[in-house]
Amino acid sequence: MASSSVLAPFIRKWEGGFANHPNDPGGATKWGVTLNTYRLFYGSYKSVEDLKNMTEYEWNNIFIRGFWDKALATQIVSQSVANMIVDWGWNAGMKTAIKAVQRILGCTADGIMGPITMGFINRANARDLFNKLYDARKKYYQNLVFKKPSMAVFYRGWINRIDDLKFTT
């Protein structure tokens, strides 16, 4: 079964520290956590300064409760597949990632990870599913840039990031 402790350092590596890029619709982020997400977990009164001071404990809580657990990733047999799904969700929203895997597997694409989707994931050939998720994710970013050209500044980084996710198990 997949472990969050394998993926967490990968995400932190790619997210870096605090950023507030003018082309990022998420606005201010630290370690990939947007201010809006931080407020969902720690209160609507939280400020950009509070986000800058977010602790590793707070980050890990958001990562586990808001992303890893929403994907039921601990139940995924393939660590590589879990990494691809949760990292995509971290970058684009869990519903986006879950709907993508559901469409690939021929499930109802409702954006909710449940026992039916989990069964399809764990019965699929893990390497094939990983490759299909890679292709779908790349196409997702291409479409995003096509719809919002201002996002092109992030495209190479997104592709480098998914290229860094290697299939192992």
Side-chain angles (χ1 to χ4, degrees):
M1 297 300 184
S3 171
S4 62
S5 64
V6 174
L7 180 60
F10 176 88
I11 290 177
R12 290 284 296 273
K13 174 183 100 169
W14 279 98
E15 291 296 349
F18 179 80
N20 195 2
H21 195 285
N23 291 13
D24 187 345
T29 64
K30 181 176 179 185
W31 300 328
V33 174
T34 66
L35 181 59
N36 285 339
T37 298
Y38 188 66
R39 286 174 171 164
L40 285 173
F41 281 83
Y42 296 107
S44 60
Y45 59 90
K46 291 294 186 177
S47 67
V48 170
E49 195 60 33
D50 293 324
L51 178 66
K52 284 181 183 178
N53 293 316
M54 177 177 56
T55 66
E56 289 188 31
Y57 174 84
E58 290 172 319
W59 182 90
N60 196 58
N61 182 49
I62 292 168
F63 169 66
I64 296 295
R65 289 185 38 228
F67 296 86
W68 188 262
D69 288 351
K70 285 200 180 190
L72 304 178
T74 302
Q75 296 177 34
I76 298 174
V77 173
S78 168
Q79 181 72 50
S80 299
V81 169
N83 290 351
M84 184 63 82
I85 293 169
V86 176
D87 185 60
W88 190 352
W90 183 267
N91 190 248
M94 283 313 305
K95 280 195 176 235
T96 296
I98 293 169
K99 283 181 178 182
V101 75
Q102 289 169 328
R103 282 190 294 271
I104 288 167
L105 293 169
C107 304
T108 300
D110 61 5
I112 299 168
M113 188 67 79
I116 294 171
T117 303
M118 188 58 59
F120 274 86
I121 289 170
N122 287 331
R123 284 190 301 275
N125 176 292
R127 183 179 297 277
D128 289 346
L129 179 55
F130 179 88
N131 290 338
K132 288 176 182 177
L133 285 165
Y134 172 92
D135 292 342
R137 192 169 171 185
K138 189 172 181 183
K139 186 174 179 95
Y140 170 82
Y141 293 126
Q142 289 168 342
N143 288 337
L144 184 60
V145 169
F146 180 76
K147 291 177 188 173
K148 296 181 182 178
S150 65
M151 302 292 280
V153 66
F154 304 114
Y155 182 75
R156 179 56 24 217
W158 292 329
I159 299 307
N160 289 342
R161 181 179 182 143
I162 61 173
D163 283 346
D164 198 24
L165 282 168
K166 305 295 184 211
F167 182 84
T168 57
T169 59

